[in-house]
């Protein structure tokens, strides 16, 4: 009886150490991007791919489509290589270890004031549980200064100069109906 239990325990320990080399990596795709951007100014958008295992990713590639009204002066990845064309980009990320996240950062500049739709997707040579994955995100490009305050009581400051001595009209808008918002405009004349 005791020899029988020893054999079962030895088999159990051995089975725990077995790794299925055909198992699929389970990945998630998320985007961190501002909702608004100023026309002509650089915004930073981050695409994150996380591998939950049980295997490293195999041949992971991130692709993206960008609007023709956007340029990418900067495209980097925390691992692998990147390349871009007029309306798209590719990041060859390779193997992402289990429990790790890899990040692709897009520096985007909008040339016109309008709603801009981006799409990103991932695929790998050994498909994961949910492969392929795509995600669309929208950024609204506006003329002027754009900022985003996400915490109650937070403040933001913008510094700018008005060229010439003619009267200028200034519009300040919160884009949400909030009676608790306030604006202060200071300068040499008030």
């Amino acid at each position: 009886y005791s020899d029988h239990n020893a054999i079962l325990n030895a088999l159990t320990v051995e089975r725990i150490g077995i790794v299925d080399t055909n198992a699929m990596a389970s990945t998630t795709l998320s985007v961190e991007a501002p909702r608004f951007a100023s026309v002509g100014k650089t915004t930073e958008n981050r695409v994150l791919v996380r591998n939950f295992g049980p295997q490293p990713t195999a041949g992971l590639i991130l692709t993206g489509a960008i609007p023709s009204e956007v340029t990418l002066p900067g495209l980097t990845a925390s691992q692998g290589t990147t390349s871009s064309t007029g309306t798209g980009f590719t990041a060859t990320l390779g193997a992402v270890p289990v429990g790790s996240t890899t990040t692709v950062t897009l520096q985007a500049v909008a040339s016109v004031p309008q709603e801009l739709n981006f799409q990103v997707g991932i695929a790998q040579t050994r498909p994961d549980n949910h492969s392929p994955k795509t995600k669309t995100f929208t950024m609204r490009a506006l003329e002027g200064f754009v900022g985003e305050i996400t915490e109650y009581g937070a403040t933001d400051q913008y510094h700018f100069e008005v060229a010439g001595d003619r009267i200028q009209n200034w519009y300040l808008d919160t884009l949400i109906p909030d009676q608790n918002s306030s604006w202060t405009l200071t300068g040499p004349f008030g």
Side-chain angles (χ1 to χ4, degrees):
Y1 180 78
S2 65
D3 289 338
H4 178 71
N5 279 342
I7 291 170
L8 286 177
N9 287 338
L11 289 175
T12 302
V13 170
E14 193 172 320
R15 289 191 75 210
I16 290 172
I18 294 174
V19 176
D20 182 0
T21 57
N22 294 318
M24 299 177 278
S26 179
T27 57
T28 60
L29 177 64
S30 61
V31 175
E32 296 175 355
R35 293 178 306 167
F36 300 98
S38 294
V39 172
K41 302 290 183 190
T42 302
T43 60
E44 188 171 285
N45 307 276
R46 295 174 4 132
V47 181
L48 296 92
V49 181
R50 177 145 176 90
N51 180 10
F52 288 98
Q55 295 290 328
T57 62
L60 184 67
I61 296 175
L62 173 82
T63 57
I66 60 171
S68 59
E69 300 84 7
V70 172
T71 58
L72 293 178
L75 177 64
T76 59
S78 58
Q79 71 178 57
T81 60
T82 61
S83 62
S84 64
T85 62
T87 58
F89 67 91
T90 301
T92 305
L93 305 171
V96 177
V98 174
S100 296
T101 300
T102 188
T103 304
V104 176
T105 303
L106 296 86
Q107 292 181 332
V109 178
S111 61
V112 295
Q114 70 181 38
E115 190 171 277
L116 303 165
N117 295 306
F118 297 74
Q119 183 170 353
V120 293
I122 56 172
Q124 56 180 317
T125 55
R126 180 178 56 228
D128 70 12
N129 296 341
H130 311 287
S131 191
K133 291 184 177 65
T134 60
K135 188 168 270 303
T136 301
F137 64 98
T138 301
M139 183 172 62
R140 181 81 169 145
L142 305 169
E143 293 283 356
F145 301 94
V146 174
E148 188 170 333
I149 298 175
T150 58
E151 295 179 25
Y152 180 78
T155 61
D156 209 344
Q157 295 182 1
Y158 301 92
H159 303 278
F160 54 92
E161 294 181 19
V162 178
D165 58 356
R166 60 191 174 109
I167 296 174
Q168 301 284 323
N169 293 321
W170 297 96
Y171 299 95
L172 304 172
D173 190 356
T174 63
L175 300 177
I176 59 170
D178 184 355
Q179 301 300 319
N180 296 319
S181 294
S182 64
W183 298 92
T184 304
L185 184 61
T186 59
F189 301 106

